[in-house]
Amino acid sequence: MEKKKVLNEGIWMLALFVVLLLVAIYVPGVSVLSSLFLVLPFLVFSAKYSLKSSVMFGLISLLVASVAGGLGAVPLAFVFCSTGIVMGSMVYKKLDKLSIFIAGSLTFLLNIVLLYVSTILLTGVNVATEMNEAFKRSFQESMDLMEELGQPLPEEAVKQFQEGFSFFYALTPSLFVLFALTAVFLFMLVNFPILKKLKINVPHFQPFRMWRMPKSILWYYLILLLLSFVAIPEVGSSWYSTYVNLMFMLQFCLIIQGLSFFYFFADIKKWPKIVPIILTVLSIVFLPLLYLVRLLGIIDLGFDLRQRLQQKP
């Protein structure tokens, strides 16, 4: 009876996966939305059954994906299949939501890095390099046009644009990490409520106001900042790429700390919930405000503002 139940549910989840995969591949208008649910069949199945059954289900899904969407659909299917199985298996083991998020993000990140490297090896095309060169060519054409119109850009502005291109190109590894974190967060946001509807026990995150980064983040940030004065990161060097990526991720952690503190402060003051949400949106839209949020995160980590506020009568 148990095997029949597993088989029946596997067939239904397989059918759902094929429909979602075909929509993601062949219907451009809703492909992104469909992609958010591609992990759902694997989440549901692996949250209810053993890892052995889940892996078998995943292998069959890849085989069906190759038939339904061609060989080109297999890498896409594998990304969502493996991520969903890892996350669902952790739900099956009743692990906490943060562990599921981290494991899912690492799995998704590994997959997109493998896809990126495989694309370079098979086609000889580095997407990041090609995009960087395309932006540079477009910028150069715009400069040439402005010179023809008698309104050339100042040399300082040209230099800043060129440094910006180099910065974003060097930032490629961190952008991969950020993309993986965002993708898995969205997977959990849209799919976990469905798991609850299906009577699957899903763990909860701590409220955002309770999130706290390790204090070591602040020390890493300060050490890296001091190192940048001792050994100045020169554009194009390995140290520059390392510095840019480490600093970006550390600053991202400090921004999360700053926003979390603001939600904590708003909760203590009994402000309407919309107030910290508006600040979060404004911080993303207006970069100078984001710097202030990062500074708030540094102060909170360094001086433990939350504990001080809680100790006040």
Side-chain angles (χ1 to χ4, degrees):
M1 182 63 72
E2 180 66 24
K3 287 183 178 180
K4 187 177 179 181
K5 183 182 176 183
V6 174
L7 182 61
N8 286 338
E9 187 140 20
I11 292 171
W12 280 108
M13 289 299 105
L14 187 59
L16 175 62
F17 168 67
V18 171
V19 171
L20 290 170
L21 181 66
L22 293 176
V23 171
I25 295 173
Y26 297 113
V27 187
V30 292
S31 59
V32 174
L33 182 61
S34 175
S35 297
L36 291 177
F37 295 96
L38 270 173
V39 296
L40 180 60
F42 305 102
L43 269 174
V44 172
F45 192 90
S46 55
K48 297 175 74 172
Y49 303 109
S50 67
L51 180 60
K52 182 180 178 181
S53 299
S54 301
V55 171
M56 183 63 65
F57 173 64
L59 293 173
I60 294 170
S61 300
L62 293 178
L63 181 62
V64 173
S66 68
V67 175
L71 290 177
V74 175
L76 177 66
F78 181 76
V79 170
F80 292 97
C81 166
S82 56
T83 304
I85 288 174
V86 167
M87 294 171 67
S89 296
M90 296 184 78
V91 172
Y92 179 80
K93 293 177 180 178
K94 302 188 186 314
L95 297 178
D96 63 279
K97 205 167 187 177
L98 183 59
S99 297
I100 297 171
F101 174 68
I102 292 171
S105 299
L106 288 173
T107 305
F108 193 80
L109 175 63
L110 179 61
N111 281 326
I112 59 176
V113 169
L114 286 174
L115 278 178
Y116 179 72
V117 173
S118 299
T119 302
I120 295 173
L121 294 175
L122 293 173
T123 66
V125 176
N126 187 323
V127 178
T129 302
E130 291 297 320
M131 287 180 63
N132 187 49
E133 292 301 321
F135 282 128
K136 284 182 178 180
R137 285 194 298 270
S138 179
F139 177 65
Q140 187 61 49
E141 289 170 3
S142 300
M143 285 179 54
D144 293 340
L145 180 60
M146 292 183 73
E147 284 183 9
E148 289 177 9
L149 296 174
Q151 295 179 333
L153 278 176
E155 189 175 332
E156 186 62 31
V158 174
K159 184 179 178 182
Q160 288 178 353
F161 273 111
Q162 290 173 339
E163 288 177 352
F165 290 136
S166 299
F167 173 78
F168 281 107
Y169 179 65
L171 206 59
T172 301
S174 290
L175 295 178
F176 277 175
V177 173
L178 195 58
F179 175 69
L181 293 172
T182 305
V184 172
F185 176 78
L186 291 175
F187 293 158
M188 296 174 75
L189 185 68
V190 301
N191 291 292
F192 273 30
I194 300 175
L195 265 63
K196 289 180 183 177
K197 293 286 184 182
L198 296 173
K199 309 298 182 184
I200 297 173
N201 187 23
V202 178
H204 298 277
F205 272 131
Q206 277 189 321
F208 184 59
R209 66 179 183 275
M210 304 302 293
W211 287 23
R212 302 194 68 179
M213 295 293 161
K215 192 162 274 190
S216 57
I217 292 287
L218 182 58
W219 288 109
Y220 295 148
Y221 178 75
L222 293 174
I223 290 170
L224 193 61
L225 203 59
L226 289 173
L227 282 174
S228 69
F229 290 110
V230 176
I232 299 173
E234 296 182 5
V235 177
S237 65
S238 299
W239 167 230
Y240 175 81
S241 181
T242 303
Y243 171 79
V244 162
N245 284 282
L246 287 175
M247 185 58 78
F248 177 83
M249 296 310 301
L250 290 171
Q251 288 177 347
F252 178 76
C253 291
L254 291 171
I255 287 169
I256 296 296
Q257 178 78 21
L259 288 173
S260 172
F261 173 80
F262 193 78
Y263 278 74
F264 174 84
F265 186 78
D267 183 68
I268 286 181
K269 296 298 182 181
K270 307 298 181 185
W271 289 351
K273 291 184 178 180
I274 192 66
V275 174
I277 293 173
I278 291 173
L279 175 77
T280 303
V281 174
L282 290 176
S283 300
I284 295 170
V285 176
F286 302 106
L287 285 180
L289 190 56
L290 203 59
Y291 299 144
L292 293 176
V293 171
R294 187 175 71 205
L295 179 61
L296 183 62
I298 292 172
I299 296 171
D300 182 33
L301 267 183
F303 297 97
D304 207 354
L305 289 183
R306 301 181 200 212
Q307 188 173 352
R308 293 172 186 269
L309 286 171
Q310 288 176 324
Q311 286 175 349
K312 285 187 177 182

